[in-house]
């Protein structure tokens, strides 16, 4: 594993995916799926087999040629329990990066893991000198993610009314942003 990893902040560690994560992934994609009700529930999910195949392909690719930058990191508690992952992806245009987080086990939520993981991951992304701003997107019914975005210091910059249909209701699509400068001014535990 790269000497940079694991990335640590308070009660979490972020690291590249490993083979021992696959059983948790299989459980989270097939049995303990409640977390998916929050993570873009309007999208049609791929099959469990397709998701696991994607994870195995990432494992193989990273083992063959470790990337210079990881767009996907798994998350462990400071006790070593695997509880989810952070990710980044492009939105709208290729140079706009959004961050996301998933913590599938309900008993691992509301303990600060998500906040600490997202802060740590944002610092990792901002270490790329070409990233001046990060975004996150969610929907107006995802109160935990909205609260997390606000606590971290994201600012809502976009709202499309009623575009998300979730469990028979209509919700707004939300986009938040945070600049590199705002991040480091607000979160002094981290530095450029």
């Amino acid at each position: 594993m790269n000497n940079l990893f694991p990335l640590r902040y308070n009660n979490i560690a972020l690291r590249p995916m490993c083979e021992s994560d696959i059983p948790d992934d299989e459980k989270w994609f097939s049995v303990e799926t409640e977390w998916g009700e929050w993570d873009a529930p309007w999208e049609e999910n791929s099959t469990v087999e397709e998701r696991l195949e994607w994870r195995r392909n990432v494992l193989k690719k990273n083992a063959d040629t470790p990337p210079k930058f990881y767009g996907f990191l798994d998350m462990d508690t400071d006790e070593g329990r695997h509880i989810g992952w952070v990710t980044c992806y492009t939105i709208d245009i290729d140079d706009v990066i959004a961050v996301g987080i998933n913590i599938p086990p309900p008993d691992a939520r509301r303990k600060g893991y998500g906040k600490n993981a997202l802060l740590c991951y944002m610092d990792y992304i901002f270490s790329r000198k070409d990233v001046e701003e990060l975004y996150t997107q969610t929907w107006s019914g995802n109160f935990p993610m909205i609260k997390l975005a606000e606590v971290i210091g994201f600012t809502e910059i976009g709202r499309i009314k009623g575009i998300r249909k979730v469990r028979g209701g209509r919700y707004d699509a939300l986009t938040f942003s945070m600049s590199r400068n705002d991040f480091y001014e607000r979160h002094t535990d981290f530095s450029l």
Side-chain angles (χ1 to χ4, degrees):
M1 189 180 302
N2 184 313
N3 289 337
L4 178 66
F5 296 105
L7 301 172
R8 295 188 183 279
Y9 183 64
N10 291 336
N11 59 355
I12 59 90
L14 301 178
R15 56 164 176 76
M17 178 181 17
C18 59
E19 188 66 39
S20 63
D21 296 332
I22 298 294
D24 285 339
D25 296 333
E26 186 169 15
K27 174 178 61 180
W28 294 335
F29 296 150
S30 63
V31 179
E32 297 176 9
T33 60
E34 175 270 344
W35 64 273
E37 294 178 17
W38 303 100
D39 183 28
W42 55 88
E43 291 180 355
E44 186 175 314
N45 288 325
S46 51
T47 67
V48 172
E49 294 77 20
E50 289 169 333
R51 289 174 161 197
L52 292 174
E53 183 64 23
W54 179 86
R55 302 267 298 179
R56 287 186 180 101
N57 287 338
V58 168
L59 272 172
K60 182 176 178 351
K61 181 179 174 187
N62 289 352
D64 292 345
T65 309
K68 291 181 180 164
F69 177 80
Y70 286 82
F72 180 94
L73 292 172
D74 275 84
M75 176 189 346
D76 295 331
T77 66
D78 51 2
E79 295 90 20
R81 179 183 176 201
H82 179 225
I83 60 167
W85 57 90
V86 291
T87 186
C88 69
Y89 53 94
T90 56
I91 57 174
D92 302 326
I93 53 175
D94 288 343
D95 58 353
V96 175
I97 298 174
V99 293
I101 185 167
N102 282 302
I103 300 178
D107 69 336
R109 299 180 202 146
R110 302 182 61 92
K111 294 181 172 33
Y113 298 133
K115 176 185 173 192
N116 292 333
L118 206 51
L119 286 171
C120 187
Y121 192 52
M122 289 172 70
D123 178 57
Y124 170 70
I125 295 170
F126 278 134
S127 71
R128 292 178 44 175
K129 300 306 177 201
D130 63 327
V131 179
E132 290 296 325
E133 192 162 25
L134 286 174
Y135 297 79
T136 194
Q137 294 183 311
T138 192
W139 54 289
S140 59
N142 189 345
F143 304 115
M145 186 60 212
I146 294 167
K147 178 70 173 169
L148 178 58
E150 291 170 350
V151 165
I152 286 177
F154 279 96
T155 301
E156 183 180 324
I157 61 163
R159 179 181 289 256
I160 302 172
K161 297 272 189 194
I163 195 169
R164 301 294 182 216
K165 188 173 181 182
V166 179
R167 295 183 282 283
R170 289 279 182 186
Y171 296 88
D172 302 344
L174 307 175
T175 301
F176 297 83
S177 73
M178 186 173 207
S179 73
R180 172 199 301 266
N181 289 340
D182 287 346
F183 178 82
Y184 288 108
E185 284 176 14
R186 181 182 274 268
H187 303 288
T188 57
D189 289 359
F190 301 97
S191 61
L192 289 169

